[in-house]
Amino acid sequence: MNIETKQQHVEATMRLAPVIPVVIIDDARHAVPMARALVAGGIPAIEVTLRTPAALDAIRAIAAEVEGAVVGVGTVLTAKDLHAAEQAGARFAVSPGVSPNLLAAADNSALPLLPGVATASEAMNMLERGYRHLKFFPAVPAGGTKLLGAWASPLPQIRFCPTGGISVATAKDFLGLPNVLCVGGSWLTPGDKLKAGDWAGIEQLAREAAALRG
């Protein structure tokens, strides 16, 4: 699969819903009911971050058992991360930044990558490599809507998924920018609701997120 085909897959994933939940999961047993609640609420693309030992098992379970879910992997730092996520059934990968080794691994992997950038120079470097869809991270600390909006004119080819510090209250500000397709947010799957098994609560948060582009 060449870079352009993989970019088309990334774009399709970014257009599934206004928000991609960024999930930190401690118990893989929560993965399937959580993902079903998100899908029921209108949020099919789910990024499970590699920040806990349960992450790969969670991805594997969602990929195997949750109809309608497009499960991806986040916090991808190395070639090993990328390979393990692909083996677990991830459909896309997200990284907080980029490195030469990670980009080389992505070139040799069938797993589409959404790489993170925080500066115009980084965005230009990624554009040179064929990446037209990027994660803007950390969105709020790096400059928020003002910086991202300022890139729209000089970098019109690029579409972003800003992530980092975004809440349900500020998501619409980002989604209103012409170069933003979706946002990433951790507010859809808060730790207290995961721990309590409050799947109805997560489904409600998903519904609210899905309505942000309405």
Side-chain angles (χ1 to χ4, degrees), residues 7 10 13 24 26 39 46 52 73 90 102 104 124 141 150 177 185 203:
Q7 283 291 285
V10 170
T13 301
I24 301 172
D26 292 307
V39 171
I46 304 165
T52 68
V73 58
L102 180 60
M124 290 169 61
L177 296 174
E203 182 177 340

Side-chain angles (χ1 to χ4, degrees), residues 9-195:
H9 280 276
V10 170
E11 179 179 3
T13 301
M14 292 170 71
R15 291 186 180 278
L16 286 172
V19 183
I20 296 177
V22 179
V23 180
I24 301 172
I25 193 161
D26 292 307
D27 189 340
R29 293 174 298 180
H30 293 158
V32 168
M34 173 205 69
R36 285 177 176 156
L38 290 169
V39 171
I43 301 292
I46 304 165
E47 176 190 335
V48 177
T49 64
L50 293 179
R51 302 182 196 180
T52 68
L56 288 172
D57 285 338
I59 291 168
R60 197 173 289 111
I62 294 169
E65 299 181 42
V66 184
E67 185 176 357
V70 179
V71 65
V73 58
T75 320
V76 173
L77 306 179
T78 66
K80 183 179 178 181
D81 291 341
L82 200 66
H83 178 71
E86 186 176 0
Q87 294 297 110
R91 307 252 305 265
F92 65 96
V94 185
S95 62
V98 292
S99 71
N101 286 341
L102 180 60
L103 290 176
D107 287 343
N108 294 315
S109 171
L111 196 59
L113 177 66
L114 178 65
V117 301
T119 69
S121 294
E122 291 171 352
M124 290 169 61
N125 285 333
M126 295 310 301
L127 188 61
E128 285 185 356
R129 293 190 64 116
Y131 287 85
R132 297 176 289 102
H133 299 89
L134 303 173
K135 170 181 173 175
F136 175 48
F137 178 81
V140 173
T145 55
K146 288 187 177 180
L147 180 60
L148 197 51
W151 289 352
S153 181
L155 298 170
Q157 311 96 319
I158 303 177
R159 294 295 179 268
F160 293 93
C161 173
T163 304
I166 299 173
S167 68
V168 67
T170 60
K172 268 198 170 183
D173 296 333
F174 285 92
L175 291 166
L177 296 174
N179 55 348
V180 170
L181 291 184
C182 64
V183 302
S186 59
W187 79 86
L188 282 78
T189 56
D192 58 341
K193 290 191 184 299
L194 286 173
K195 189 174 181 179

